[in-house]
Amino acid sequence: MPVTVLRHDLVVESTTWVTARALAKGAAAPLEPASVPLDDALGGRLAAPLTALVPVPGVDVSAMDGYAVAGAGPWRVVGRVLAGGACYGHKLRPGEAVEIATGAPAPAGASAVLPYEHAAVDGARVDGAVEIGRHIRRRGEDIAEGAVVLGGGAVVTPVALGLAAALGHDELLVRPRPRVAVLITGDEVVREGLPAPGRVRDAIGPFLPGLVAWAGGRVAGTDVLPDGREALRAALAARVAGRVADRLADRAADVVVVCGASSKGPADHLRAMLGDLGADVIVDGVAVRPGHPQLLARLPGGAPVVGLPGNPFAALGAALTLLAPILRELAGIPVRTETSALAGAVRAHPRDTRLVPVRRSGRGAVPVGHDRPGSLWGAALADALAVVPPGWAGEQVELIELPPGG
């Protein structure tokens, strides 16, 4: 959808939650596919179907340790073939056998493999009961050459990487995972240990990498900035310069997330810095609780900037409102919509959407409580957030899945 730029300076009217999420989705387009080495493809999505460059197995092979035989027994043993070794150089004639290992190429003319445990051996002769075709895996029996094994859009999992390697691929054409640069602001924020009076532990930085990965991206770097205009200006300007110079530059990012400077207090300089850099503001404040002071803008050169509130639960709600839709659009991930009845008392707000932590149950979504903006307790107990619209009167509501563990 086309993106509507509100203005370059301060915007005073909040955007509805539904509109803000739609604007976030429209602020991005899927990244261009790229052929990358297998090690770099993990977590991406296939931009084209994955096909077999070679058949599996590549030749007729033995499925058992034993003897490849031709015709009826008994058989005279005329050679040996090991896995990874050279093929037997002649076509087996009726009454001949070759000792063979599992996975070794079956000789031409072989009609079956007689396993060791079913074989009676007498010197250079072997006998036993066999079934024609038994224990020989034929070329292409598992996967034919040229077969499509995974469709476009499939996630490249560790197992998919193994499959691609087995089928002859050294690179895969994928939609890259969008790279997210995280800027954490605030003189009061500490990142380890017990906070001193007047300080707080950073609770946003620890949950962002998992949320970003769940939404299809990856955190490409995190900077902790002091309060003040110049530090934030320098960090944002570096992202602009990196993206304009080269999308693959070390400082470049597909999305920039700023934590804790999106409100309108004396230490919140994000809006002013975006104006100084010539950024276009798309969303400035959302009519949602928690998470009202969130922001979406576009830097010169195209990188979206998402401003998250400093309160942890408010930041989580804002990330699910603005950041997750952008990342899914960049990564080409389809969005699944879920609705549910609410099985518990919830009070709607007359003007704002509410994001309520809930757990799914057979009765509906059950509110878990503990949902103040500064606490992640309720969200940690929940598996989804219920989207309760203004003036809600008991109808089913949308559920936004929360990122699962591991």
Side-chain angles (χ1 to χ4, degrees), residues 39-55:
D39 289 347
D40 295 335
L42 183 64
R45 286 182 174 263
L46 293 175
L50 180 65
T51 60
L53 302 181
V54 294

Side-chain angles (χ1 to χ4, degrees), residues 25-403:
K25 180 180 178 182
L31 297 174
E32 288 297 320
S35 289
V36 299
L38 293 185
D39 289 347
D40 295 335
L42 183 64
R45 286 182 174 263
L46 293 175
L50 180 65
T51 60
L53 302 181
V54 294
V56 178
V59 296
D60 294 352
V61 296
S62 174
M64 298 288 288
D65 294 330
Y67 299 89
V69 300
W75 303 274
R76 181 171 59 90
V77 179
V78 295
R80 172 184 290 180
V81 181
L82 301 177
C87 299
Y88 182 67
H90 306 283
K91 181 178 180 179
L92 286 185
R93 294 177 295 184
E96 292 183 334
V98 167
E99 190 175 7
I100 196 165
T102 300
S111 54
V113 170
L114 173 66
Y116 282 136
E117 56 267 31
H118 298 158
V121 180
D122 182 9
R125 301 188 73 79
V126 63
D127 201 0
V130 295
E131 178 183 340
I132 298 299
R134 184 72 168 162
H135 301 313
I136 294 180
R137 295 173 55 216
R138 298 299 179 184
R139 181 181 188 272
E141 178 180 309
D142 294 339
I143 302 174
E145 184 175 353
V148 174
V149 295
L150 291 175
V155 177
V156 181
T157 64
V159 175
L161 287 180
L163 175 63
L167 298 179
H169 291 271
D170 297 317
E171 296 184 338
L172 290 178
L173 184 68
V174 298
R175 293 200 181 278
R177 289 188 295 163
R179 292 158 304 163
V180 178
V182 177
L183 308 179
I184 298 175
T185 69
D187 291 338
E188 78 282 9
V189 177
V190 296
R191 303 199 73 196
E192 60 183 16
L194 299 178
R199 300 294 186 92
V200 295
R201 274 293 296 268
D202 171 28
I204 302 173
F207 80 63
L208 268 180
L211 185 146
V212 166
W214 164 78
R218 62 183 177 89
V219 171
T222 300
D223 291 339
V224 180
L225 308 177
D227 284 328
R229 298 170 62 94
E230 292 310 313
L232 184 56
R233 179 199 294 271
L236 289 172
R239 269 68 187 180
V240 174
R243 187 170 179 95
V244 171
D246 182 355
R247 186 182 168 277
L248 298 179
D250 289 340
R251 301 292 290 180
D254 298 301
V255 182
V256 179
V257 178
V258 182
C259 306
S262 65
S263 191
K264 298 175 182 178
D268 298 313
H269 304 297
L270 178 57
R271 287 168 176 77
M273 294 302 95
L274 291 171
D276 290 348
L277 292 170
D280 293 326
V281 176
I282 300 168
V283 174
D284 190 353
V286 178
V288 64
R289 296 179 181 230
H292 169 267
Q294 54 186 285
L295 183 146
L296 172 61
R298 186 182 296 284
L299 291 170
V305 177
V306 177
L308 303 181
N311 280 323
F313 183 36
L316 174 63
L320 293 172
T321 300
L322 297 180
L323 178 60
I326 290 173
L327 293 177
R328 289 199 177 102
E329 195 68 17
L330 288 169
I333 298 175
V335 178
R336 181 177 64 90
T337 301
E338 178 184 0
T339 60
S340 173
L342 286 178
V346 172
R347 185 167 57 185
H349 191 274
R351 297 177 304 277
D352 296 344
T353 296
R354 289 194 62 204
L355 301 179
V356 178
V358 296
R359 287 199 67 84
R360 302 176 180 93
S361 78
R363 298 183 295 116
V366 180
V368 299
H370 309 294
D371 56 358
R372 293 185 179 275
S375 173
L376 290 172
W377 187 4
L381 294 171
D383 56 23
L385 297 184
V387 181
V388 180
W392 174 73
E395 64 273 16
Q396 288 206 340
V397 298
E398 181 180 352
L399 298 185
I400 302 176
E401 181 185 14
L402 288 171

